[in-house]
Amino acid sequence: MAAIASRYKGVTPPISTTLPTAAELKANDDLIEELKNQNNFEGTEVTERRKKTLQLLQKITLEFVKVVLTKKNKPQSFINAAGGKIFTFGSYRLGVYGPGSDIDTLVVVPKDVYREDFFEHFPPLLEKMAPPGAIVEMTPVPDAFVPIITLELSGIEIDLIFARLAVSSVPLNLDLRDNNLLRGLDERELRSVNGTRVTDELLDLVPQPKTFRTALRAVKLWAQSGSHYPYHGYYDMLTALFSGRAVYGNMMAFPGGVAWAMLVARVCQLYPQATGSVIVGKFFRIMSKWAWPQPVVLKEIESGPLQVRIWNPKIYPGDRYHLMPIITPAYPSMCATHNITLSTKKIITRELERGGDIVDKIFTHQLEWKDLFSRHTFFTQGYKYYLGINSASSSKEAQLLWQGCVGSKVRHLVGQLESDELIDIAHPFNKGFDRVHRVSNQDERTAVLSGSLQYQATDVATETTDVGKDPKQLAGAEDSSENVAISNDNKNNNVIDGDGVSTIYTTTYYIGIELAQVQVKKLDISRESKGWMESCYQWAGYQEDVNFLTVAHTRNYDLPADVFGPDEARPSRPIKKRTSKNNAVPKNEASANKKRKIGSSETEGVAAQQNGFKRQLSENGVPVNSS
């Protein structure tokens, strides 16, 4: 049996090992050409700059270890042998990076170099050894659960995380897939090395890495929702126009990059000889019909040398509640999709079915690959009713933390909403909308904090944000913000310029509401909203005079203009038909035709039209009217 099993990769034999046809090869060439049209590949000059940047980081890592050990008076022979090595993971290591992609980088050091040493000595060495002017916006966040330094180095965005192994030497040929290297690591260090270990295992488990990369590029482009305004060149313009289906992002209860990669890898295992184009088609059909909660695994879940939790629904009751479990291949195996809710599962399944229908038509020449990557219709055709979660702060730095907290909890509100039998789907959009407002008096300030867009700054474009992408957002999401320094100026919520104008920073998250197919005259969600807001106020970094939050309902025709793309139109307000007495509709028929309404006996205050929110909850759940 062992000999038979070694012939294939995966936990089951392949479905087909048929070689590709000429038509499938042509479809693959067409797919690659469309990915190029979408600017999914970067130029060779930038790729070479990435390689040189990583070579520089390796040199700095070796020097960093030497500096620290010298300060600790270690023998020179010990220092010379200590080593140090960088590893990459994420999109760069998988080989699916494109223009603007960052490089997730792990700095691995021996046991005598500590996390405190990393944040004390590594940034100065970066400044010293990098070319003049090469470093932009270096931000150390030592108190995040996975401590990180983010920076832009020679035009390349870098996320640096740190791991200390319980060994005296880290040679350049070190392989992190050795489970014994995990001995003696704390939880933070285990999390730090996990990204590289998962990525390396994943690449080792796919039959043809080149095919896997082509298919994954297509699936990621399909799943993501891209950037929004402003456009910073050709790439941003294309991303906004062909921006995917917005089913990407772990914190918003969708699969993240690693989860989508594992799904594609599983399909590659089932069709080891197929082209990337065929893998994409099989991906949509197989995953839309997958027998969840049967887990997707790339290899048998293995035990290891540590007393750590491994995903096992037979032992751990919490694991039984995972709706779409996708299990990481590296020890200790974990579920990468534990955040998915009933609503987002329905959305993902719908989109997978839609993608499968499109690819079928591509192979019969009825559609083209560009049709697969068409922009989502979340705001234009998705729903009649929306909730806007508006977080606000009196400084940009404070807002980064606060929006990280609020954004990370949106999925919890989704879970509470979908427990209401009158709500069929609560669909969170996977990005927030960052806006800047300027006010000159208390009334204007109150209006903005209540969700009004009347005082939005006209010289600062609305931008979208990924929850947890910024390290300070991530600190807020992880509730570790009490250790993140905020300047005194930023804590003051009454900072006013020379003209008496103060600035307020807001981030709004949207949830589309689909009502159940029953007669609903009125839907009261005030209890869920109020309880959820209270949970946000329990955040360790919350300051009552700095951070603000409202939850409000709006109809699709009242959504703000800046959530729509350049070629999209806001849904129009329906025109009510007037009925004369002679043509009156019978009472029983009129009752059956009544529109379902969403509202609340506690939230009937009508907000100003310009804020886009028709019904609004104040911070304590009491109805308010904004002016």
Side-chain angles (χ1 to χ4, degrees):
M1 288 294 294
I4 295 174
S6 65
R7 296 174 190 170
Y8 59 83
K9 297 186 176 184
V11 293
T12 61
I15 294 175
S16 172
T17 57
T18 304
L19 293 173
T21 65
E24 290 168 348
L25 291 170
K26 174 64 167 59
N28 193 66
D29 291 340
D30 291 342
L31 172 58
I32 293 172
E33 187 62 30
E34 181 58 34
L35 290 172
K36 292 178 179 178
N37 291 339
Q38 300 266 356
N39 211 34
N40 200 260
F41 298 90
E42 73 177 9
T44 55
E45 184 271 330
V46 180
T47 299
E48 285 302 313
R49 195 171 352 125
R50 288 181 185 274
K51 294 177 182 179
K52 291 180 180 179
T53 299
L54 290 172
Q55 290 169 1
L56 174 61
L57 289 174
Q58 177 60 47
K59 290 180 182 178
I60 294 172
T61 298
L62 291 171
E63 183 65 22
F64 159 65
V65 172
K66 290 179 181 179
V67 167
V68 171
L69 296 182
T70 300
K71 288 182 176 294
K72 295 182 179 182
N73 297 317
K74 299 293 182 181
Q76 190 60 47
S77 59
F78 185 91
I79 295 172
N80 293 339
K85 182 179 178 180
I86 65 167
F87 296 81
T88 60
F89 58 101
S91 63
Y92 182 80
R93 179 70 182 96
L94 289 173
V96 293
Y97 56 93
S101 296
D102 60 9
I103 302 180
D104 296 310
T105 309
L106 171 67
V107 176
V108 178
V109 299
K111 62 183 179 180
D112 292 295
V113 181
Y114 290 85
R115 187 179 297 119
E116 295 77 13
D117 299 322
F118 178 63
F119 286 96
E120 180 181 354
H121 298 292
F122 206 92
L125 279 172
L126 273 168
E127 296 279 6
K128 178 181 177 181
M129 297 180 68
I135 295 177
V136 179
E137 296 182 2
M138 182 160 53
T139 306
V141 186
D143 296 300
F145 186 78
V146 176
I148 187 172
I149 297 174
T150 65
L151 71 153
E152 184 180 314
L153 178 58
S154 299
I156 307 297
E157 292 186 6
I158 305 288
D159 288 348
L160 283 174
I161 61 175
F162 170 88
R164 165 186 165 271
L165 300 182
V167 296
S168 58
S169 175
V170 176
L172 292 178
N173 63 352
L174 181 78
D175 188 347
L176 279 179
R177 286 179 292 180
D178 181 356
N179 290 346
N180 290 313
L181 291 174
L182 303 181
R183 296 181 185 274
L185 302 191
D186 61 25
E187 190 176 359
R188 283 183 169 187
E189 290 161 344
L190 280 172
R191 280 269 294 268
S192 295
V193 300
N194 185 60
T196 295
R197 284 169 53 83
V198 167
T199 305
D200 288 350
E201 282 278 6
L202 196 158
L203 287 173
D204 191 52
L205 288 166
V206 295
Q208 299 187 61
K210 184 177 180 180
T211 298
F212 164 73
R213 290 177 176 126
T214 298
L216 182 55
R217 281 182 180 275
V219 169
K220 286 187 65 174
L221 184 62
W222 163 83
Q224 291 174 329
S225 60
S227 60
H228 205 69
Y229 304 114
Y231 301 140
H232 297 300
Y234 183 66
Y235 169 71
D236 277 355
M237 181 184 71
L238 280 175
T239 307
L241 292 175
F242 302 100
S243 54
R245 305 306 295 177
V247 287
Y248 189 101
N250 182 55
M251 281 201 181
M252 280 297 181
F254 293 104
V258 171
W260 287 119
M262 288 189 287
L263 292 183
V264 174
R266 183 65 186 119
V267 178
C268 288
Q269 291 177 340
L270 296 174
Y271 296 88
Q273 300 294 337
T275 64
S277 59
V278 170
I279 293 297
V280 171
K282 298 296 185 183
F283 162 83
F284 286 115
R285 287 311 182 198
I286 291 174
M287 293 308 163
S288 65
K289 293 178 172 58
W290 192 266
W292 306 108
Q294 176 183 326
V296 172
V297 294
L298 299 179
K299 62 182 236 183
E300 296 293 346
I301 296 175
E302 62 179 304
S303 57
L306 307 179
Q307 296 297 317
V308 294
R309 175 170 173 165
I310 301 172
W311 187 85
N312 190 335
K314 295 180 179 179
I315 298 177
Y316 303 109
D319 292 349
R320 300 170 198 162
Y321 293 98
H322 296 162
L323 300 177
M324 301 179 75
I326 304 170
I327 310 305
T328 56
Y331 170 83
S333 292
M334 296 175 281
C335 179
T337 46
H338 61 277
N339 287 339
I340 287 178
T341 73
L342 289 169
S343 290
T344 54
K345 180 187 174 185
K346 291 180 181 178
I347 296 301
I348 294 164
T349 303
R350 282 183 187 177
E351 290 294 341
L352 288 169
E353 291 172 348
R354 174 187 174 276
D357 292 341
I358 291 175
V359 176
D360 286 349
K361 292 181 179 179
I362 291 172
F363 273 91
T364 57
H365 308 292
Q366 299 176 66
L367 292 175
E368 298 178 353
W369 284 110
K370 66 180 181 181
D371 298 304
L372 178 64
F373 308 124
S374 62
R375 181 180 169 84
H376 63 84
T377 57
F378 180 85
F379 295 108
T380 56
Q381 301 173 26
Y383 303 94
K384 288 183 179 180
Y385 309 104
Y386 295 83
L387 289 184
I389 297 107
N390 191 58
S391 64
S393 300
S394 52
S395 75
K396 185 174 183 178
E397 191 172 3
Q399 179 59 14
L400 282 173
L401 293 167
W402 180 229
Q403 76 179 67
C405 165
V406 173
S408 69
K409 296 180 184 295
V410 168
R411 67 179 186 272
H412 301 310
L413 177 57
V414 167
Q416 294 174 36
L417 292 171
E418 64 189 14
S419 65
D420 191 314
E421 62 180 8
L422 301 180
I423 295 178
D424 187 38
I425 288 178
H427 178 179
F429 189 62
N430 67 337
K431 292 178 181 287
F433 289 79
D434 288 342
R435 302 180 177 102
V436 177
H437 315 259
R438 296 193 182 98
V439 298
S440 56
N441 57 54
Q442 187 59 42
D443 288 343
E444 293 176 0
R445 173 184 172 81
T446 300
V448 170
L449 298 180
S450 299
S452 172
L453 302 185
Q454 184 177 3
Y455 306 103
Q456 184 176 357
T458 58
D459 59 333
V460 182
T462 300
E463 295 187 359
T464 55
T465 180
D466 292 310
V467 181
K469 182 67 175 176
D470 185 280
K472 290 186 178 179
Q473 284 185 27
L474 192 59
E478 293 175 343
D479 212 7
S480 58
S481 59
E482 66 272 18
N483 297 317
V484 178
I486 299 178
S487 68
N488 290 330
D489 287 343
N490 285 331
K491 290 181 180 179
N492 180 4
N493 65 309
N494 291 314
V495 176
I496 299 175
D497 64 18
D499 296 324
V501 176
S502 59
T503 303
I504 299 173
Y505 300 85
T506 66
T507 304
T508 305
Y509 302 98
Y510 293 93
I511 299 176
I513 302 295
E514 184 174 306
L515 300 178
Q517 296 301 314
V518 295
Q519 288 296 319
V520 182
K521 185 176 181 180
K522 187 175 292 186
L523 176 65
D524 186 349
I525 57 173
S526 58
R527 178 179 59 82
E528 292 89 344
S529 298
K530 182 178 178 182
W532 177 78
M533 292 168 72
E534 288 298 329
S535 72
C536 293
Y537 297 144
Q538 300 304 311
W539 176 57
Y542 173 70
Q543 300 177 69
E544 188 175 1
D545 60 342
V546 174
N547 309 122
F548 307 90
L549 181 63
T550 56
V551 178
H553 155 242
T554 184
R555 289 291 297 267
N556 55 1
Y557 51 76
D558 282 321
L559 286 167
D562 57 9
V563 304
F564 300 99
D567 296 324
E568 294 177 335
R570 182 194 286 118
S572 58
R573 181 190 297 267
I575 300 174
K576 293 183 179 180
K577 295 182 179 180
R578 293 188 177 183
T579 306
S580 65
K581 291 183 179 180
N582 293 335
N583 296 320
V585 179
K587 185 175 182 180
N588 59 346
E589 184 178 337
S591 176
N593 290 332
K594 279 186 177 178
K595 292 182 179 178
R596 293 171 292 165
K597 295 183 179 179
I598 183 171
S600 166
S601 58
E602 294 189 32
T603 61
E604 289 299 320
V606 178
Q609 288 291 330
Q610 71 272 5
N611 65 13
F613 296 151
K614 294 293 290 180
R615 294 179 178 85
Q616 176 180 322
L617 284 174
S618 68
E619 295 173 29
N620 58 9
V622 178
V624 296
N625 291 330
S626 62
S627 55

